[in-house]
Amino acid sequence: QVQLVESGGGLVQPGGSLRLSCAASGTAFIINAMGWYRQAPGKERELVATVTSGRSPNYADSVKGRFTISRDNAKNTVYLQMNSLEPEDTAVYYCNADVLRTTNWRSYPYWGQGTQVTVSS
């Protein structure tokens, strides 16, 4: 089994910054891609940013220039640096990983438990 554990959420004032982390652990797996999604109250879950080895990161238009996604392959960890936060960024942020299981060489999506980010004065 593979687990994703997120950390770094919290309450921040508009214009502030937060850094989210998500670490993958388990056995017999290779990570293809990792990313962050978010879900605000009453809204559908939406993509924030994704990163795949060897490719440029992909960002939602609403966060371009403010958020930066990065990945430490040695630690199986993905980060999301969020700057210039706005109240509209308030949501539960979920880590996602596309994981290749070497037990059967099939890929599966995995999700973290979510971490709350609240931007408010």
Side-chain angles (χ1 to χ4, degrees):
Q1 190 57 277
V2 176
Q3 291 185 328
L4 303 180
V5 178
E6 300 139 336
S7 61
L11 172 64
V12 64
Q13 292 185 343
S17 298
L18 281 175
R19 188 190 193 211
L20 306 182
S21 300
C22 172
S25 62
T27 59
F29 71 97
I30 298 171
I31 296 179
N32 296 320
M34 298 187 81
W36 292 93
Y37 291 71
R38 67 186 182 186
Q39 187 167 19
K43 296 186 177 181
E44 295 186 352
R45 190 174 297 187
E46 63 177 3
L47 179 147
V48 176
T50 60
V51 60
T52 303
S53 294
R55 298 182 180 180
S56 298
N58 178 48
Y59 296 95
D61 288 342
S62 59
V63 307
K64 284 182 180 177
R66 302 188 297 122
F67 291 11
T68 302
I69 189 170
S70 61
R71 179 175 164 182
D72 186 333
N73 291 329
K75 297 181 179 180
N76 288 320
T77 299
V78 65
Y79 306 94
L80 185 68
Q81 177 66 43
M82 304 185 293
N83 299 328
S84 302
L85 282 161
E86 304 168 352
E88 293 74 23
D89 296 315
T90 295
V92 177
Y93 284 69
Y94 295 92
C95 177
N96 168 266
D98 179 62
V99 177
L100 175 67
R101 300 302 310 278
T102 58
T103 50
N104 60 6
W105 299 103
R106 297 181 65 179
S107 292
Y108 302 89
Y110 287 86
W111 293 90
Q113 79 283 359
T115 184
Q116 177 70 45
V117 171
T118 302
V119 184
S120 176
S121 54

